[in-house]
């Protein structure tokens, strides 16, 4: 008889030889539930595959592919997963010994499609900081589109994948996949997850530590231009979603959120980007200024749009 699997844990790994073993030891130590842990080695050039291959446990599913990026790796795992619920983790994560058991219990008690948890910031020395989010509707159940409107009104959008446990049937019903690319595609995943309008429950249980890693690829000087271009793509895609008929009820909220992400883009552009001309051109090619105007909800937004126009759109006019 085929055994039902409670949770599929999906972990992309790239050059993670120093960390992946610790995470897998913790996850495989949970023996009171039925799990499959799918690790996709995304073209590692270190000893990641050697570390993975040395672990003999039938619950561990290993996939090796050429380097395609973290989102493509997650799609590879989604295509073969069999669990009732899905959890996404990163290869350098640290979780508690009963992490999966408690998430599964909360998900089943909530009887929703998605449960969103909380987390704490910490540093490499283990000093705890503030919680990742503080303005969510804890203890409540909302539809996904209600949640989009709430996040936009409260200016807090916790899109991080490791906060989520998702019913597998919901992912399949709505054909959810990650848009492949270098950075920030978790924003689009979470928007699409919510826009499909399932039932979401919100827990303030802080079951994950978000370690600030100054050596992360996202902090590399040669990666800032890639991040800025990815922001442009994300903002353009949010605006494209906003005009689709099935999302009419959250159209204004999506445009407002696109404006928020534009603030993040501009901050990165002004402080970190090297090739400003190329990044500026990509933003203009993806996003028409007029499409952001519908997201204005206060005077601060007006001032921001003037700043965005001066930095991104007007240089193109002056160079003609």
């Amino acid at each position: 008889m085929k055994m039902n699997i409670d949770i599929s844990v999906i972990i992309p790994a790239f050059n993670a030889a120093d960390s992946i073993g610790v995470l897998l030891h913790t996850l495989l130590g949970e023996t009171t539930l039925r799990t499959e842990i799918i690790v996709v080695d995304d073209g590692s050039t270190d000893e990641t595959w050697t570390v993975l291959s040395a672990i003999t446990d039938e619950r561990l599913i290993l996939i090796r592919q050429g380097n395609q990026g973290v989102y493509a790796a997650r799609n590879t795992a989604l295509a073969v997963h069999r669990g009732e619920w899905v959890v996404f983790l990163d290869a350098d994560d640290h979780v508690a010994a009963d992490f999966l058991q408690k998430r599964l219990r909360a998900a089943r008690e909530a009887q929703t499609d998605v449960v969103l948890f909380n987390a704490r910031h910490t540093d490499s020395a283990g000093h705890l900081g503030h919680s990742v989010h503080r303005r969510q509707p804890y203890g409540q159940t909302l539809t996904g589109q209600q949640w989009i409107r709430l996040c936009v009104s409260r200016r807090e959008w916790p899109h991080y994948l490791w906060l989520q446990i998702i019913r597998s049937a919901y992912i399949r019903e709505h054909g959810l996949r990650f848009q492949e690319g270098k950075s920030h595609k978790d924003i689009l995943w979470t928007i699409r997850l919510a826009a499909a309008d399932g039932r979401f429950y919100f827990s303030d249980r802080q079951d994950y530590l978000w370690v600030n890693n100054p050596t992360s690829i996202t902090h590399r000087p040669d990666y800032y231009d890639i991040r800025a271009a990815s922001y442009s793509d994300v903002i353009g895609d949010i605006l494209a979603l906003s005009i689709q008929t099935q999302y009419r009820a959250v159209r204004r909220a999506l445009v407002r959120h696109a404006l928020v992400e534009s603030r993040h883009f501009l901050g990165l552009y002004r402080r970190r980007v090297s090739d400003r001309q190329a990044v500026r051109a990509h933003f203009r090619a993806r996003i028409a200024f007029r499409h952001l105007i519908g997201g204005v909800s206060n005077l601060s937004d007006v001032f921001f749009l003037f700043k965005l126009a001066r930095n991104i759109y007007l240089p193109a006019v002056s160079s003609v």
Side-chain angles (χ1 to χ4, degrees):
M1 184 175 71
K2 185 177 180 180
M3 182 179 70
N4 293 326
I5 296 172
D6 297 317
I7 297 180
S8 295
V9 184
I10 291 176
I11 307 171
F14 176 75
N15 289 353
D18 293 338
S19 60
I20 188 68
V22 176
L23 175 61
L24 293 179
H25 177 77
T26 302
L27 296 173
L28 292 170
E30 294 201 51
T31 58
T32 60
L33 68 167
R34 298 179 295 273
T35 61
E36 65 174 9
I37 300 170
I38 308 173
V39 181
V40 181
D41 183 346
D42 188 47
S44 295
T45 57
D46 66 353
E47 296 301 311
T48 296
W49 187 253
T50 301
V51 172
L52 293 172
S53 301
I55 302 173
T56 55
D57 192 305
E58 63 180 6
R59 295 170 295 169
L60 180 61
I61 299 171
L62 302 180
I63 301 173
R64 197 177 194 181
Q65 65 183 32
N67 182 247
Q68 300 175 45
V70 64
Y71 301 106
R74 291 188 178 112
N75 283 337
T76 296
L78 278 175
V80 300
H81 85 280
R82 299 169 295 164
E84 179 187 1
W85 296 88
V86 175
V87 168
F88 297 105
L89 293 176
D90 293 327
D92 58 352
D93 285 343
H94 294 273
V95 297
D98 55 358
F99 173 79
L100 294 175
Q101 182 182 29
K102 288 188 175 179
R103 281 211 171 181
L104 179 63
R105 182 185 304 137
R108 287 178 170 169
E109 289 175 354
Q111 297 184 2
T112 55
D113 300 301
V114 181
V115 178
L116 192 84
F117 295 86
N118 208 339
R120 291 284 292 275
H121 289 274
T122 186
D123 58 23
S124 56
H127 300 123
L128 292 178
H130 59 81
S131 58
V132 169
H133 53 76
R134 287 169 278 189
R135 297 192 292 272
Q136 296 302 302
Y138 307 118
Q140 298 181 44
T141 298
L142 302 179
T143 68
Q145 294 192 10
Q146 286 174 332
W147 183 49
I148 290 175
R149 289 191 290 269
L150 181 140
C151 286
V152 170
S153 67
R154 296 185 179 180
R155 290 186 174 268
E156 182 180 75
W157 182 253
H159 55 75
Y160 309 107
L161 301 179
W162 30 259
L163 296 177
Q164 305 166 2
I165 183 169
I166 310 162
R167 193 184 299 275
S168 177
Y170 184 73
I171 294 173
R172 290 195 171 99
E173 177 186 357
H174 298 287
L176 296 173
R177 285 174 51 86
F178 289 93
Q179 184 182 95
E180 297 182 8
K182 294 290 187 180
S183 190
H184 304 307
K185 305 303 183 180
D186 48 342
I187 299 172
L188 287 175
W189 165 272
T190 304
I191 287 176
R192 291 191 174 109
L193 186 74
D197 214 26
R199 288 166 50 81
F200 284 60
Y201 179 81
F202 303 87
S203 170
D204 195 28
R205 187 161 64 80
Q206 299 168 10
D207 66 353
Y208 179 99
L209 295 179
W210 185 8
V211 181
N212 179 27
N213 182 5
T215 65
S216 167
I217 188 174
T218 59
H219 298 299
R220 271 179 19 198
D222 62 339
Y223 201 71
Y224 290 128
D225 288 27
I226 293 172
R227 287 181 58 196
S230 292
Y231 265 130
S232 300
D233 293 336
V234 166
I235 295 161
D237 288 337
I238 293 172
L239 291 171
L241 284 174
S242 73
I243 63 175
Q244 294 185 23
T245 304
Q246 64 267 40
Y247 306 136
R248 183 181 299 131
V250 289
R251 179 175 184 178
R252 177 164 167 72
L254 290 174
V255 178
R256 287 181 63 187
H257 187 60
L259 195 61
V260 170
E261 297 298 345
S262 297
R263 289 177 181 263
H264 297 158
F265 162 83
L266 188 61
L268 190 63
Y269 171 84
R270 296 177 69 189
R271 297 181 181 92
R272 302 289 188 179
V273 161
S274 298
D275 190 348
R276 288 192 169 188
Q277 183 176 353
V279 169
R280 194 168 58 236
H282 185 65
F283 189 94
R284 291 196 305 261
R286 287 300 318 266
I287 301 147
F289 182 79
R290 68 182 184 278
H291 293 161
L292 292 170
I293 295 174
V296 171
S297 61
N298 53 49
L299 194 58
S300 174
D301 290 340
V302 174
F303 286 134
F304 168 73
L305 276 182
F306 278 119
K307 190 184 300 182
L308 185 69
R310 186 175 69 246
N311 282 273
I312 304 301
Y313 292 98
L314 293 184
V317 176
S318 61
S319 64
V320 175

